[in-house]
Amino acid sequence: MDQYAIGLDNGGTVIKAALFDMEGRELAVASAQTPVLTPKPGYTERDMEYLWQCNCRCVKEVMEKSKVSPGQVIGMAVCGHGKGLYPWGKDGKPAWNGIVSTDGRAWEYPQKWKADGTHERIYEKTCQDIMACQQVSLLAWFKDYHRDVYDNIRWVFSVKDYIRFRLTGEAYCEATDISGSGLMDVRNARFDKEILDALGISEVYEKLAPVKYSYERCGSISEEAARLTGLLEGTPVAGGMFDIDACAIALDITTPERMCTIAGTWSINEYISREPVMDGSVAMNSLYAIPGYYLVEECSATSAGNLEWYLKNCMGNEPVDADGSIYDVINDMVQKTKSEECELYFLPFLYASNAHPLGKGAFVGMTLFHQKNHMLRAVYEGVAYSHKTHIDRLLASREKPEAIRMAGGAVNSPVWVQMFADILESPIETVKVRELGALGCAMAAAVAAGVYADYEEAADKMVHISEKVDPNPEMAEIYRKKYRKYRMVSQALDTVWDEFSV
């Protein structure tokens, strides 16, 4: 009997479920949009109960589309956006809305902890900079501003740990996610009371569930979840992982020589290493899905999500393709607009900045000459420049790879992929699958079920790399000059952001 696994990917705004066979073929996909709530500037939240129901509907739709028997599903796993906070209450229901990784309400805490020396004291253990959207900052914010909520929290969850908890009724913190929370002694893969004491949130220690790894079994589908999803009660559920780990696993990032970039809402740029990079050149070291490796990461919410904002707010009644899509139209607009004739720069800081912590999105250099096509090209270029900022930091501590593997929404645009190759001055490789994060989860489920011994074997069978896209030397030279100007614009505006509120 054929065997199948389900991957469930919870991004910042969209949920996707996909069913795969053991050769990595994608048989069915379902998705759901979950509204982002913005009760105040800088706040981004989601209704946790609605989120759970959407996950169930996506799994059920995948089962119905695929016509696969529930008895053929060997297991499933969940991935999701990292950071943020999904608190489960002692009263058996969500303690607050889920907080998404683009949230900036706790921006003052990283600054305070850096200024008073707390960050430096705990850095040897946490191996990462502190960010406003991490659990550590958000929990400190709740303690100061909503003590009743803070005291009611039973479990501190990331989004995927919350969804897995609802699927199984068992509470765990999976290692890849929780090691990026600022709450963990990453070197020793354990929670540390001294870290929490230093941060003034010692009470959190009792709110942290046991740690599991991505390929470990973390319970099974409950009676309620079976009814809502169409799966069999007792179907195994693996730990799953942070979505950037899931994408890396699905890109066969199983050796330190490889590097990948993921262009979604977040600009994620990463490779794996036997040792964390502790010289201050990178922002984040976390535990990788493969034991014995650290994920060395440079990231910010400065990527392709900026294009979605532009399309929603600035494109108006543009013509669309026969299938109702605007993406071929805008790719054609960008391709026909010469970069060397477009001295317009876009800072992709609508969600967050990778320069100044209060940095905002901006078009700089606008004149009467510029039209929508120029603005679109500036958005495409600005996103790629932001990725280059991170990748340059990563390359300060390692050799340049032979090629960079790329994932995320931007890979659906051949124009954008070529632009990344030109700007990064590196060949780009992509993977022949639509839902990369879900594939990484399916690989975790396959390893947990014993179909494959480890991720290396799973990747050999389930990952299929596309041909390389090589950089164009002429365009690389043009972009090199424009990137220097982009950096000058960003640095110049750093001098004014302190005058802006969140």
Side-chain angles (χ1 to χ4, degrees), residues 115-135:
D116 67 14
T118 300
H119 171 263
E120 185 177 355
R121 290 197 301 276
I122 65 175
Y123 182 71
E124 187 61 30
K125 292 182 177 180
T126 62
C127 301
Q128 56 202 241
D129 287 346
I130 301 173
M131 304 172 69
C133 59
Q134 284 177 298
Q135 284 97 328

Side-chain angles (χ1 to χ4, degrees), residues 21 343 377 426:
D21 67 14
E343 281 291 310
R377 174 168 271 281
S426 170

Side-chain angles (χ1 to χ4, degrees), residues 382-412:
V383 167
Y385 294 147
S386 179
H387 278 261
K388 178 174 170 57
T389 300
H390 289 301
I391 288 174
D392 284 351
R393 292 173 189 163
L394 293 178
L395 292 177
S397 59
R398 58 156 291 158
E399 294 295 320
K400 190 173 183 177
E402 291 184 3
I404 294 175
R405 294 189 173 173
M406 184 173 173
V411 301
N412 296 314

Side-chain angles (χ1 to χ4, degrees), residues 337-345 369-371 373-378 381 482:
T337 305
K338 292 184 178 180
S339 180
E340 59 270 31
E341 297 177 359
C342 182
E343 281 291 310
L344 181 62
Y345 296 87
F369 167 77
H370 293 110
Q371 300 178 31
N373 58 307
H374 301 104
M375 297 174 75
L376 272 169
R377 174 168 271 281
E381 290 183 4
K482 292 190 73 174

Side-chain angles (χ1 to χ4, degrees), residues 275-427:
E275 293 292 331
V277 177
M278 300 293 287
D279 61 4
S281 62
V282 301
M284 181 73 64
N285 298 276
S286 58
L287 298 175
Y288 190 46
I290 300 175
Y293 284 105
Y294 294 90
L295 186 66
V296 183
E297 173 196 350
E298 269 285 323
C299 64
S300 59
T302 59
S303 192
N306 286 269
L307 175 64
E308 299 305 314
W309 169 86
Y310 182 82
L311 296 181
K312 178 180 178 181
N313 292 282
C314 303
M315 286 301 289
N317 297 318
E318 296 295 324
V320 297
D321 298 330
D323 64 357
S325 170
I326 197 173
Y327 291 98
D328 286 344
V329 174
I330 64 173
N331 283 328
D332 188 57
M333 291 172 69
V334 171
Q335 190 168 34
K336 290 179 177 177
T337 305
K338 292 184 178 180
S339 180
E340 59 270 31
E341 297 177 359
C342 182
E343 281 291 310
L344 181 62
Y345 296 87
F346 175 69
L347 299 183
F349 301 162
L350 297 178
Y351 294 97
S353 168
N354 58 4
H356 191 286
L358 295 179
K360 305 292 188 291
F363 284 100
V364 177
M366 292 279 286
T367 70
L368 288 173
F369 167 77
H370 293 110
Q371 300 178 31
K372 289 179 181 178
N373 58 307
H374 301 104
M375 297 174 75
L376 272 169
R377 174 168 271 281
V379 171
Y380 274 48
E381 290 183 4
V383 167
Y385 294 147
S386 179
H387 278 261
K388 178 174 170 57
T389 300
H390 289 301
I391 288 174
D392 284 351
R393 292 173 189 163
L394 293 178
L395 292 177
S397 59
R398 58 156 291 158
E399 294 295 320
K400 190 173 183 177
E402 291 184 3
I404 294 175
R405 294 189 173 173
M406 184 173 173
V411 301
N412 296 314
S413 165
V415 175
W416 220 345
V417 172
Q418 182 65 60
M419 188 180 291
F420 267 76
D422 297 341
I423 288 173
L424 299 179
E425 298 187 58
S426 170

